[in-house]
Amino acid sequence: MKTPRYALLLAVTTALAADPAPPVTQTCQPDALIAAEAFDRPESFAGKVSATAPGWRGGIGTWSIRDGAAHAVQEGPSEKRPHGHEAVCEHVVDLGDYVLTGEFKLGASPQIGFVCRDTHNPNHHQGRVVITPTAIWIQKMSGIAKETRREELTKIPVTLDPNAWHKVTVEVCGDRFLARIGDHVLEAKHERFRDRKGRIGFVARGAGAQFRALSVWSAKSKKT
């Protein structure tokens, strides 16, 4: 007996709508799924109505959905920010340890990053993995706006095709920050990473960077 066509379509739709499986990780054990967004529809962004609105919020810069991905254009120079500002998209959270997975394409953007901020009001920068076509590094951060401070903890040279999609996994457990970009893996330690996270997101300089299939999980250390 053949399966009715509508039943097959329903099965495919259900599979596509299902939550993603927990990613394979090295230091963190994914626990609960906090957010999963393909960035393939206008509703992928929660908007700027409320600073605590659930979902991904394209804040600074211009964000749009085209061809099944989120496109980033940084903010231009203004009286408030004479040098402009990288495009920022964040999800408001209340997490300790976490895992982030997704895909990105650099395009013409010279630099992107996957970031976290703490629970201060306003949220202070905490840490990020920075990705360029020729290098990847992890930095710990503090402060906000003009008070922002950064310290590069580890850096590796790479050769990334800016026109190809690359997978990224970020694991932050305790004082450890691990990032896997394709086959490249780097890790750093700092007490700053232990602070609770109030925002998790991604940033891009210039124009041309794209992001898709972003998921965030609460996590716990694999160490007993």
Side-chain angles (χ1 to χ4, degrees), residues 104-126:
F104 69 88
K105 182 188 291 188
L106 282 163
S109 174
Q111 178 178 304
I112 68 164
F114 293 89
V115 309
C116 59
R117 293 203 272 163
D118 63 22
T119 56
H120 281 79
N121 186 16
N123 307 86
H124 289 195
H125 296 289
Q126 191 170 2

Side-chain angles (χ1 to χ4, degrees), residues 3-72:
T3 303
R5 185 178 179 184
Y6 74 85
L8 291 174
L9 291 174
L10 178 61
V12 171
T13 302
T14 302
L16 292 175
D19 288 340
V24 176
T25 54
Q26 185 172 326
T27 63
C28 292
Q29 180 61 51
D31 188 358
L33 179 64
I34 304 301
E37 181 55 64
F39 286 106
D40 59 353
R41 57 202 174 90
E43 295 79 13
S44 296
F45 293 113
K48 304 180 182 180
V49 177
S50 170
T52 58
W56 292 98
R57 297 184 306 108
I60 298 174
T62 301
W63 291 88
S64 60
I65 302 294
R66 301 196 310 274
D67 302 321
H71 290 243

Side-chain angles (χ1 to χ4, degrees), residues 2-216:
K2 293 184 177 181
T3 303
R5 185 178 179 184
Y6 74 85
L8 291 174
L9 291 174
L10 178 61
V12 171
T13 302
T14 302
L16 292 175
D19 288 340
V24 176
T25 54
Q26 185 172 326
T27 63
C28 292
Q29 180 61 51
D31 188 358
L33 179 64
I34 304 301
E37 181 55 64
F39 286 106
D40 59 353
R41 57 202 174 90
E43 295 79 13
S44 296
F45 293 113
K48 304 180 182 180
V49 177
S50 170
T52 58
W56 292 98
R57 297 184 306 108
I60 298 174
T62 301
W63 291 88
S64 60
I65 302 294
R66 301 196 310 274
D67 302 321
H71 290 243
V73 179
Q74 79 166 40
E75 181 183 278
S78 63
E79 183 176 349
K80 181 179 180 181
R81 300 187 178 98
H83 302 292
H85 196 288
E86 61 191 358
V88 181
C89 183
E90 294 179 308
H91 200 295
V92 176
V93 298
D94 183 10
L95 294 174
D97 300 337
Y98 75 92
V99 174
L100 175 147
T101 63
E103 298 180 3
F104 69 88
K105 182 188 291 188
L106 282 163
S109 174
Q111 178 178 304
I112 68 164
F114 293 89
V115 309
C116 59
R117 293 203 272 163
D118 63 22
T119 56
H120 281 79
N121 186 16
N123 307 86
H124 289 195
H125 296 289
Q126 191 170 2
R128 65 175 61 185
V129 55
V130 183
I131 304 165
T132 76
T134 59
I136 303 172
W137 63 93
I138 294 173
Q139 61 191 36
K140 80 92 176 174
M141 304 179 71
S142 61
I144 191 68
K146 294 181 180 180
E147 301 302 318
T148 299
R149 299 292 181 267
R150 56 184 60 84
E151 177 186 348
E152 185 180 294
L153 301 177
T154 185
K155 184 175 184 177
I156 60 173
V158 299
T159 301
L160 291 182
D161 182 352
N163 297 312
W165 284 100
H166 302 278
K167 293 183 178 180
V168 58
T169 300
V170 173
E171 306 176 40
V172 181
C173 277
D175 64 351
R176 304 175 70 184
F177 191 124
L178 182 144
R180 181 186 300 275
I181 294 87
D183 295 328
H184 305 289
V185 180
L186 63 166
E187 183 178 2
K189 291 186 178 183
H190 199 281
E191 286 298 309
R192 175 67 172 143
F193 301 141
R194 293 187 184 276
D195 293 344
R196 199 157 185 85
K197 290 77 183 172
R199 291 173 185 257
I200 292 173
F202 45 97
V203 299
R205 290 187 180 179
Q210 300 178 54
F211 303 85
R212 68 185 184 189
L214 268 291
S215 297
V216 176

